[in-house]
Amino acid sequence: MEPLGWIEIIGRMAWQFLPVWIALAALYAVSIATKRRTGLYGRLFDSPVGMIGFGIVMFWVFTAIFADQIITHNPLSQVSGMKNVLPGTPMKAPGGSYDWYLLGGDNLARDVFSRMVMGARRVLAIAPAATAFAFIMGISLGLPAGYFGGKLDTSLSFLANLVLAFPVILLFYLLVTPEIRETAIPGTMAAILFIFPLLFVTVAINSRWFPKPRQRNVMLAVSLGLGLWAYAGLAFNADPTGIWSMEPNLLNVFVSVVFVNSPGVFRIVRGLVMDLKSRDYVAAGQTRGEGPWYLMIWEILPNARGPLIVDFCLRIGYTTILLGTLGFFGLGVSPESPDWGSTINEGRRLLSIFPHPAIVPAVALMSLVLGLNLLADGLREESLRD
Amino acid sequence: MRYAEWLGVLPGWSGMVDGKLEGRCVMRAPDRANPPRFCGVLQGEWGWSTVFKMTIKDILARSLSATGWLMLAVMAVMVPTSLLLGVLAGMREGSRTDRVLSTAAIATTATPEYVSGVILIAVFASTTVDLSWLVNLFGIEGRRTLFLGTATSAVDKITFWNFTLPVMTIALYGIGYIARMTRASMTEVMTQQYIRTARLKGVGFRQVVLRHALRNALIAPFTVIMLQFPWLLNGVVIVETLFNYKGFGWTLVQAAGNNDIELLLGCSVVAVAVVLVTQLISDVGYVFLNPRIRLS
């Protein structure tokens, strides 16, 4: 069989991405048809920048969802004779799952295209989750710091500045080096970090429903039950059913990413709360006799959502970059995993001879971050309009 | 305990081994019979690197000077370019120049160093992308690629060909960010009353930008540039690893990769010191540049 030309490679790749195109088209059709009724999300479709950004982001999200249908080969299987082959090379023995290596093979003779697609799944599974944890931590510390002020604010801000002043890369190395990993530091940090969502939900429910004890008790019991179950599994790896668990390597990466991100969120939330707490609706709540936590979580926080959503988009991009950095230094999730940072790291050794194994994930990562940045820009533009 | 010894707050360990006095401080004391009690960073004793078989002071001095050159080159490229781009974009908000430059700035900030470095190497320093016409154009003999993919030789002798790619890789990321900040501050300044007054007085647009707007617009980017240092340190580590340039970042990676704790701690101390000093400079400089703070 002949090797494929560039036009044919692009055509075949577009065909492989067919489920993604269909999903994207359906999403856009529905969203544009109902854009007058969906608030900020609908207004996103008025700005071309936001639409392009949203398109790129959703492309990768759908790629992650349909990854099993898109891949042409097993991302971990090695085929003899396909080491470092150029894009479009036919298989030595036709009749397998697919007759070409669309974007060539890497230095262990694995299919670059399939690894890139599966990498999207890894990246999109970790980055938003880690960002969400950083947000919950930042919010649950930033709300009281901004609302109460005083000594609490001073000490928390000092801690946040301390973490922010430390070079990120150094922090990673300190957290992920074996000597420190063997100590109890990562485990303790995980235990502290993962308790914040639990605390946050508990306080949120209690502050709103405490006048109706029965309803509150039911809600608290359900959420605490689920939460503690997940907490035991994630932080201590002690879930009896084994549904919630995290490899220690992944846990380390997760903890360090959350730790690095949350001071930034803390500062934003604190600033927003300081601005919003002088508003009339907060004063009205205070005269009504509402507790401080009710005001913070149910009055101030929903009104601060605009800037927070924008920052969330930007921060996912930043987290993706950080994860890539970790992978690039070989501190990533696991050496076999197809996530983009580790693939770039593997590919860079032969970069000047065979650039394609490193270029493909590099371009993928760049486009995802670019999409997130454009999306954040569009959201900011649209939320500032009113 | 060990960290306190290393810092020089606690006395180093010592004891009798085979009838001879041995200990942390004994090994490196010039007079073995009469060692000092404390030997840590505070006493000017940085320790011994197990990877490089050298004292950490020497390693740090060598690698910091190498990184210093890199930083200097990056700053020389990054600061003028980004300020120029930011001022050009912010001069007339919403114009076509502004749109193009802003999009470019977003694109470069969305490209982390390890991505842009990989792409730059693949385009300019790999044999698969044929740039022989360019090489012939510049008339360089004995080489098949335009730039060199590694900067190892730059430690001894910096040339345009081995230093451009690493510098460009770090600078690209920063340019987008600083240009965006400059643009924001420039657009704000351009809407101020005194700019309008100057325009109504009949001063030309050029003169307004150069004499009235520029000085005030550059205050904010100055602090941003200074606060970029922790970030730059991040970029330096990645780029030095990617291009195999034996500077501070490379040393840090080697230390961490080979479990050389004393060297790693030494690197941390230097890094944190650099960051703190730049934060201080940015605070002091801000006061100097902004008369509103200085005079109040």
Side-chain angles (χ1 to χ4, degrees):
Chain A
M1 255 183 299
E2 293 293 301
L4 299 175
W6 275 110
I7 299 166
E8 221 173 337
I9 292 177
I10 292 169
R12 279 178 182 277
M13 262 163 45
W15 177 250
Q16 283 298 317
F17 277 118
L18 189 67
V20 175
W21 304 131
I22 295 173
L24 266 185
L27 179 71
Y28 266 71
V30 172
S31 304
I32 291 178
T34 62
K35 74 175 177 185
R36 293 284 157 250
R37 278 173 287 154
T38 41
L40 181 62
Y41 171 72
R43 277 208 311 266
L44 191 61
F45 291 87
D46 289 336
S47 101
V49 173
M51 234 159 88
I52 295 171
F54 185 67
I56 299 175
V57 173
M58 288 319 285
F59 173 82
W60 286 114
V61 171
F62 285 130
T63 304
I65 294 173
F66 297 119
D68 290 325
Q69 279 80 49
I70 296 170
I71 53 169
T72 50
H73 296 271
N74 184 343
L76 294 180
S77 71
Q78 307 173 359
V79 179
S80 67
M82 301 299 283
K83 192 171 160 185
N84 288 326
V85 290
L86 291 177
T89 312
M91 302 290 288
K92 288 278 183 310
S97 56
Y98 202 75
D99 285 346
W100 290 274
Y101 264 12
L102 278 177
L103 289 174
D106 65 4
N107 64 342
L108 289 174
R110 296 170 297 194
D111 184 28
V112 172
F113 176 74
S114 306
R115 284 181 73 75
M116 184 265 287
V117 170
M118 286 315 267
R121 183 174 271 187
R122 297 295 304 208
V123 169
L124 284 171
I126 303 175
T131 317
F133 269 104
F135 255 76
I136 292 186
M137 184 163 174
I139 287 173
S140 34
L141 290 177
L143 282 176
Y147 189 83
F148 295 121
K151 280 217 180 81
L152 178 75
D153 181 29
T154 321
S155 51
L156 281 177
S157 298
F158 177 74
L159 277 180
N161 286 337
L162 207 66
V163 178
L164 280 179
F166 220 68
V168 174
I169 203 93
L170 210 63
L171 218 56
F172 274 155
Y173 263 121
L174 290 178
L175 281 174
V176 197
T177 36
E179 196 149 310
I180 291 180
R181 209 159 47 186
E182 279 157 19
T183 64
I185 297 174
T188 325
M189 275 175 72
I192 296 172
L193 290 183
F194 287 137
I195 203 132
F196 272 98
L198 267 180
L199 281 180
F200 183 76
V201 171
T202 314
V203 172
I205 292 177
N206 187 43
S207 65
R208 177 150 188 175
W209 280 283
F210 73 91
K212 300 177 192 159
R214 175 172 293 174
Q215 198 183 349
R216 177 198 66 178
N217 289 344
V218 173
M219 289 174 76
L220 268 186
V222 171
S223 54
L224 273 186
L226 280 175
L228 281 175
W229 180 29
Y231 180 68
L234 291 179
F236 301 111
N237 212 357
D239 178 19
T241 52
I243 297 174
W244 299 97
S245 70
M246 228 187 219
E247 332 158 25
N249 230 342
L250 184 63
L251 185 73
N252 263 323
V253 168
F254 205 86
V255 165
S256 34
V257 169
V258 173
F259 184 69
V260 165
N261 263 325
S262 46
V265 183
F266 166 82
R267 288 231 290 215
I268 293 167
V269 174
R270 174 177 164 269
L272 284 170
V273 173
M274 285 171 104
D275 173 33
L276 289 176
K277 76 173 174 190
S278 55
R279 297 290 167 91
D280 284 345
Y281 53 80
V282 179
Q286 278 164 343
T287 31
R288 238 179 13 241
E290 306 281 11
W293 286 100
Y294 176 84
L295 288 171
M296 279 183 240
I297 294 177
W298 296 100
E299 299 277 358
I300 295 177
L301 191 58
N303 285 294
R305 68 181 182 279
L308 286 184
I309 292 173
V310 172
D311 187 64
F312 189 67
C313 286
L314 282 177
R315 216 162 270 280
I316 294 179
Y318 180 58
T319 312
T320 313
I321 292 181
L322 277 185
L323 286 173
T325 314
L326 279 176
F328 179 78
F329 285 116
L331 307 173
V333 189
S334 74
E336 275 282 278
S337 97
D339 85 284
W340 294 334
S342 334
T343 321
I344 295 174
N345 181 36
E346 265 171 46
R348 81 184 156 95
R349 287 176 201 132
L350 293 170
L351 198 55
S352 50
I353 316 163
F354 302 109
H356 59 271
I359 285 277
V360 172
V363 170
L365 194 142
M366 191 174 104
S367 68
L368 174 63
V369 178
L370 181 65
L372 284 164
N373 270 291
L374 290 177
L375 176 64
D377 246 40
L379 278 173
R380 183 185 299 140
E381 223 169 77
E382 291 300 317
S383 65
L384 281 182
R385 194 168 282 180
D386 48 27
Chain B
M1 268 299 278
R2 283 180 56 196
Y3 300 115
E5 278 180 19
W6 173 81
L7 250 173
V9 196
L10 278 183
W13 60 270
S14 58
M16 291 302 209
V17 180
D18 299 338
K20 265 192 294 181
L21 189 65
E22 287 287 343
R24 191 186 140 80
C25 300
V26 181
M27 285 188 280
R28 48 199 101 182
D31 174 18
R32 285 185 71 98
N34 192 10
R37 268 191 79 214
F38 298 96
C39 49
V41 174
L42 293 177
Q43 283 78 33
E45 184 65 64
W46 286 79
W48 177 262
S49 160
T50 52
V51 182
F52 297 101
K53 310 285 177 219
M54 284 167 79
T55 58
I56 285 171
K57 219 195 265 174
D58 291 342
I59 299 173
L60 283 180
R62 197 190 58 192
S63 62
L64 275 177
S65 78
T67 299
W69 283 111
L70 185 65
M71 286 273 210
L72 197 70
V74 169
M75 281 295 176
V77 174
M78 185 171 77
V79 173
T81 324
S82 55
L83 290 184
L84 187 69
L85 290 181
V87 168
L88 279 179
M91 214 159 58
R92 291 204 176 103
E93 197 185 359
S95 65
R96 185 171 294 168
T97 338
D98 179 25
R99 295 252 166 229
V100 172
L101 287 179
S102 300
T103 316
I106 292 184
T108 60
T109 41
T111 319
E113 288 94 350
Y114 51 92
V115 170
S116 50
V118 161
I119 291 176
L120 282 176
I121 291 183
V123 173
F124 291 113
S126 96
T127 44
T128 33
V129 180
D130 191 21
L131 286 174
S132 50
W133 56 275
L134 258 179
V135 179
N136 290 336
L137 191 74
F138 284 102
I140 321 154
E141 294 293 321
R143 187 134 49 81
R144 283 167 65 207
T145 58
L146 191 55
F147 292 105
L148 292 180
T150 72
T152 321
S153 52
V155 178
D156 305 322
K157 187 166 166 289
I158 295 171
T159 66
F160 180 68
W161 304 109
N162 61 20
F163 217 47
T164 306
L165 287 185
V167 169
M168 282 310 294
T169 309
I170 306 183
L172 258 183
Y173 191 63
I175 283 176
Y177 189 67
I178 300 178
R180 268 167 92 174
M181 290 297 151
T182 317
R183 178 187 169 271
S185 124
M186 187 73 188
T187 51
E188 203 189 309
V189 168
M190 288 306 278
T191 56
Q192 298 279 314
Q193 301 261 335
Y194 65 88
I195 297 290
R196 199 175 56 188
T197 314
R199 285 291 281 160
L200 292 178
K201 230 165 53 179
V203 183
F205 188 71
R206 245 184 124 85
Q207 282 290 308
V208 169
V209 170
L210 288 178
R211 300 197 49 178
H212 297 256
L214 207 55
R215 221 194 123 179
N216 285 311
L218 291 186
I219 296 174
F222 171 76
T223 39
V224 173
I225 291 170
M226 279 300 161
L227 293 178
Q228 273 293 84
F229 261 93
W231 217 289
L232 218 56
L233 216 59
N234 208 344
V236 160
V237 177
I238 294 171
V239 165
E240 285 182 0
T241 316
L242 186 62
F243 289 94
N244 211 5
Y245 180 72
K246 295 190 171 52
F248 180 70
W250 186 83
T251 313
L252 179 67
V253 173
Q254 294 301 319
N258 296 309
N259 227 346
D260 190 348
I261 291 294
E262 285 197 355
L263 184 54
L264 190 60
L265 287 170
C267 286
S268 321
V269 170
V270 170
V272 172
V274 167
V275 171
L276 288 180
V277 166
T278 51
Q279 309 264 16
L280 195 69
I281 293 176
S282 97
D283 279 355
V284 173
Y286 192 74
V287 174
F288 264 104
L289 283 176
N290 197 338
R292 268 173 292 195
I293 294 181
R294 192 175 57 211
L295 298 177
S296 67

